[in-house]
Amino acid sequence: MLRVNLLLLLAVMVSAIFLVHTQYESRRLFTELDRAETESRRLATDQLRLQVEKRAQATPQRIETLARDKLQMKQASPAITQYVQESSAQGAVVQ
């Protein structure tokens, strides 16, 4: 009878330790999941912010200003346009 009682006591102690370990692991995983969801929300917000910035940077007015100021580009006009025609005897001739 004493052996049965000791065996049952040991079984209760092992199951109690297993239960505590399982609860601890469950809480740890829940905390990790919460952190991952928070990081996911932060990254989604950053992505939206960057998309808005990208759209703001790609406006036609901004691109035209950069092309004119930084690249020294001019708008095409008939006065500065050169037409190339192919000549069979001389190759390409620029007018």
Side-chain angles (χ1 to χ4, degrees):
M1 187 70 168
L2 182 61
R3 286 185 184 199
V4 173
N5 285 341
L6 287 175
L7 186 61
L8 289 175
L9 178 63
L10 181 63
V12 168
M13 294 296 283
V14 168
S15 67
I17 290 172
F18 181 72
L19 178 65
V20 168
H21 173 71
T22 304
Q23 287 178 341
Y24 170 77
E25 192 67 22
S26 174
R27 288 182 185 128
R28 188 186 65 78
L29 289 173
F30 180 77
T31 303
E32 190 175 323
L33 177 65
D34 189 46
R35 283 186 193 137
E37 287 174 346
T38 302
E39 180 71 8
S40 173
R41 284 191 295 272
R42 186 187 67 77
L43 290 173
T45 303
D46 284 350
Q47 181 185 18
L48 290 175
R49 180 184 55 81
L50 290 172
Q51 285 176 348
V52 168
E53 285 182 19
K54 179 181 170 184
R55 277 185 249 134
Q57 296 292 322
T59 60
Q61 293 170 338
R62 183 175 184 280
I63 292 172
E64 185 177 339
T65 302
L66 287 174
R68 189 177 22 244
D69 296 342
K70 289 192 174 186
L71 301 175
Q72 304 297 322
M73 294 176 84
K74 298 177 184 171
Q75 198 165 16
S77 68
I80 62 172
T81 305
Q82 295 180 355
Y83 297 94
V84 179
Q85 294 180 341
E86 183 178 346
S87 174
S88 62
Q90 298 177 359
V93 176
V94 178
Q95 290 183 353

